[in-house]
Amino acid sequence: MKLSPADALVYTMVIAAVSDKDVSDREVDRFAALISRWPVFANFDIGRLPQVASDCVDLVNKGGLDALLVMITDALEPRLQETAYALAVEVVTVDLTLNQEELRLLEMIRDAFAVDRLTTAAIETSARIRHRRL
């Protein structure tokens, strides 16, 4: 099955959200905000989100995370792999804490995608700054 780039980006957010086995309301709200605001989702029908998310979870359960990361990588050109990594970071940092499962997932995504360490560090720092609270 070949994913569309937009679906691959949503899949990346879904696997980021489920990495710690608990999808919070903040993470779900972040999905909607990202999809409605980021230009890369301009042609994505938000009404499809529940089905795309469900398809993603089914694929993880059937084929495993490694196989899904290959599908996502194949669907995204390198510049969109950077975008996908940024989306994953946005989702995992929304609750202001990162557990071992989330950190491991980000490492797996970094390894699967063509994103260099300097770029990933910049993305991670930017997300941390955006999510800070007083």
Side-chain angles (χ1 to χ4, degrees):
M1 173 175 109
K2 176 75 171 156
L3 292 175
S4 73
D7 285 1
L9 293 172
V10 172
Y11 276 30
T12 305
M13 289 191 295
V14 171
I15 63 173
V18 301
S19 65
D20 63 356
K21 310 287 188 263
D22 182 33
V23 180
S24 70
D25 289 340
R26 292 181 97 177
E27 289 169 328
V28 172
D29 291 345
R30 178 63 60 181
F31 279 22
L34 293 168
I35 290 170
S36 67
R37 292 186 187 129
W38 283 32
V40 73
F41 291 111
N43 296 321
F44 183 80
D45 176 8
I46 193 130
R48 291 185 51 242
L49 180 59
Q51 184 59 53
V52 173
S54 177
D55 292 346
C56 177
V57 171
D58 289 346
L59 285 171
V60 169
N61 290 334
K62 289 178 186 169
L65 183 57
D66 290 330
L68 185 59
L69 283 172
V70 169
M71 288 177 64
I72 293 168
T73 302
D74 289 346
L76 299 173
E77 59 186 273
R79 71 184 182 91
L80 290 178
Q81 290 175 17
E82 290 177 344
T83 302
Y85 187 76
L87 289 165
V89 170
E90 284 294 316
V91 171
V92 300
T93 58
V94 74
D95 58 7
L96 304 178
T97 58
L98 293 176
N99 61 40
Q100 283 304 116
E101 293 86 4
E102 291 167 325
L103 291 170
R104 176 66 183 126
L105 175 73
L106 290 177
E107 181 181 1
M108 291 175 73
I109 292 172
R110 276 194 309 265
D111 291 346
F113 293 173
V115 184
D116 65 77
R117 298 292 278 165
L118 188 57
T119 302
T120 59
I123 290 168
E124 292 163 4
T125 300
S126 177
R128 228 180 5 260
I129 291 167
R130 267 191 312 285
H131 293 293
R132 277 192 188 136
R133 297 175 194 267
L134 292 177

